[in-house]
Amino acid sequence: MISPFLVLALGVFLIVAELLIGSFFIMFFGLGFLIVGVFGFFIEIFWYHQILFAAIISVVLLFTLKKPIKNRFYNSKNEVKDDFLNESGMGEVKEGKIYFKGTLWSYDRELKDGEKVQVIGTKGNKVILK
């Protein structure tokens, strides 16, 4: 029989390794060893049964809890709009380019510096003016 303290230590080590690695996989094996380590204080079983039970418990926990826990931690309720530059708004001509949303954009025609322009959208590295 492997000492329950050693099995618990292995479980804690695997959980700490999961925190450092972030694979969201090793944690379940650490939990399996923790459960077997706790049972080791009450039930005396052979070492190979301890390892087998830890593996079975770990795989069961992995398949039953991974998806719900992952969805809980990685589910974003805030939708990120990534094409905010393609919105319309007011821009200003600076140094022969259009200053719009914090960026200088190219434009084909000549415009005077300081002139305000209505931007409809962007395409590539150029703006579309009204």
Side-chain angles (χ1 to χ4, degrees), residues 51-97:
I51 295 173
L52 179 66
F53 290 150
I56 291 171
I57 291 170
S58 301
V59 170
V60 168
L61 288 175
L62 180 70
F63 284 118
T64 58
L65 297 179
K66 183 178 180 181
K67 191 172 183 179
I69 291 175
K70 197 171 187 181
N71 286 340
R72 180 167 173 98
F73 284 109
Y74 292 122
N75 190 8
S76 175
K77 291 181 174 56
N78 299 333
E79 185 177 327
V80 177
K81 188 174 182 183
D82 61 349
D83 64 344
F84 70 97
L85 289 175
N86 208 15
E87 295 176 354
S88 61
M90 292 300 294
E92 184 179 349
V93 179
K94 290 184 179 181
E95 303 170 5
K97 295 189 177 206

Side-chain angles (χ1 to χ4, degrees), residues 20-118:
L20 296 174
I21 296 171
S23 67
F24 210 67
F25 179 78
I26 301 171
M27 175 183 67
F28 296 104
F29 286 93
L31 289 173
F33 277 102
L34 283 177
I35 292 169
V36 170
V38 169
F39 281 123
F41 286 114
F42 305 108
I43 303 169
E44 188 169 328
I45 53 178
F46 295 111
W47 66 271
Y48 50 88
H49 286 144
Q50 286 176 311
I51 295 173
L52 179 66
F53 290 150
I56 291 171
I57 291 170
S58 301
V59 170
V60 168
L61 288 175
L62 180 70
F63 284 118
T64 58
L65 297 179
K66 183 178 180 181
K67 191 172 183 179
I69 291 175
K70 197 171 187 181
N71 286 340
R72 180 167 173 98
F73 284 109
Y74 292 122
N75 190 8
S76 175
K77 291 181 174 56
N78 299 333
E79 185 177 327
V80 177
K81 188 174 182 183
D82 61 349
D83 64 344
F84 70 97
L85 289 175
N86 208 15
E87 295 176 354
S88 61
M90 292 300 294
E92 184 179 349
V93 179
K94 290 184 179 181
E95 303 170 5
K97 295 189 177 206
I98 310 293
Y99 184 74
F100 177 65
K101 299 232 181 200
T103 306
L104 288 173
W105 299 86
S106 299
Y107 188 67
D108 294 335
R109 298 185 191 144
E110 291 291 323
L111 298 170
K112 297 178 193 171
D113 279 0
E115 186 179 345
K116 301 284 185 186
V117 292
Q118 177 69 33

